[in-house]
Amino acid sequence: MTNIEPPARRTCGAMAEHRRLLTDSSQYRRARADLENTTRDFQRLERTTEEVVQIPVVVHVVARTDAENISEDQVVSQIEVLNHDYRATNADLAAVPEVFSDLVGDAKIEFVLATVDPDGDPTSGITRTSTTQSSFGTDNAIKYSDSGGADAWPADRYLNMWVGQLRGGLLGYAQFPGGPKDTDGVVITHTAFGTTGTATEPFNLGRTATHEVGHYLNLFHIWGDDGSGCGGTDEVSDTPNQGSENTGKPTFPKVSCNNGPSGDLFMDYMDYVDDDTMVMFTVGQVSRMRTCLETARSSLRAPMPTTTR
């Protein structure tokens, strides 16, 4: 039996997947260039809407052991975290230093487990697949039934989330908008999914999914993925320039790239800190995600139903 210890340091495979697709797919390169151009146009013209939208989610649980076959409660706990984090109603938002408080953004995005499957039949929004694979990596094998995983539901109608045992210290990875439909979505190791069951410190508060869904909605890592060079960008104007990722539990202020006195926005969901240290998106990041929902992922958007009194 393979015993894989839960990761102790945040790792994310989204940029590796992004760079692979940029190298391998001219269609992806064009889609990404078009989306970046459209994003700049939308933000310049302030064309995004403020309505609250719901995104239907299907969680594909891929398990070899009983522990990996996580409970419905664990899945529900993750959806609850996403809803708090993307609406800026998370209780730990109070940890944001006062100097950054005006940057906090409410994405007005909510997530619901799908109630109807692709064939129109009722569903819990959870699929369960028994696998003989002891673990999965970033090669997308978890996303195909013929390689021991589960096939995606139509990516234009659902946010696909795969949960299983990942290897190599990997917490998760996501596919940016513009990629192949049959691999579109996010992947999370089961010990970093939700807040109960197999969720393990320091990644037991559901923030790995918050981070990866950020990539799915077109957010880059906050330091711009240029190592410590101070020349990268996340294409968001209100996030301070910072050198490389922060991990663990930094203390404020954490200064890099001459960004004093306030320093890095390390408490942002798109850094690499522990779950209990990342607590916010910025207004600029919200604008970028909303633009993604107006454009590349517009088919997912469902306005919240309104009630009359």
Side-chain angles (χ1 to χ4, degrees), residues 217-233:
L217 293 173
N218 208 32
L219 294 186
F220 291 110
H221 291 136
I222 195 170
W223 67 95
D225 290 283
D226 69 331
S228 57
C230 296
T233 178

Side-chain angles (χ1 to χ4, degrees), residues 20 53 71 78 125 205 225 298:
R20 182 189 68 79
V53 298
S71 68
Q78 179 61 78
L205 299 181
D225 290 283
S298 60

Side-chain angles (χ1 to χ4, degrees), residues 205-275:
L205 299 181
R207 263 55 192 271
T208 298
T210 301
H211 177 103
E212 299 302 343
V213 172
H215 288 312
Y216 171 85
L217 293 173
N218 208 32
L219 294 186
F220 291 110
H221 291 136
I222 195 170
W223 67 95
D225 290 283
D226 69 331
S228 57
C230 296
T233 178
D234 61 356
E235 305 294 345
V236 176
S237 61
D238 63 359
T239 55
N241 191 21
Q242 76 177 51
S244 196
E245 69 272 23
N246 289 292
T247 60
K249 307 179 198 299
T251 56
F252 175 81
K254 173 70 164 35
V255 176
S256 68
C257 295
N258 299 311
N259 63 9
S262 301
D264 298 350
L265 193 72
F266 62 78
M267 66 291 307
D268 191 275
Y269 293 126
M270 302 313 294
D271 208 337
Y272 265 17
V273 293
D274 291 348
D275 274 19

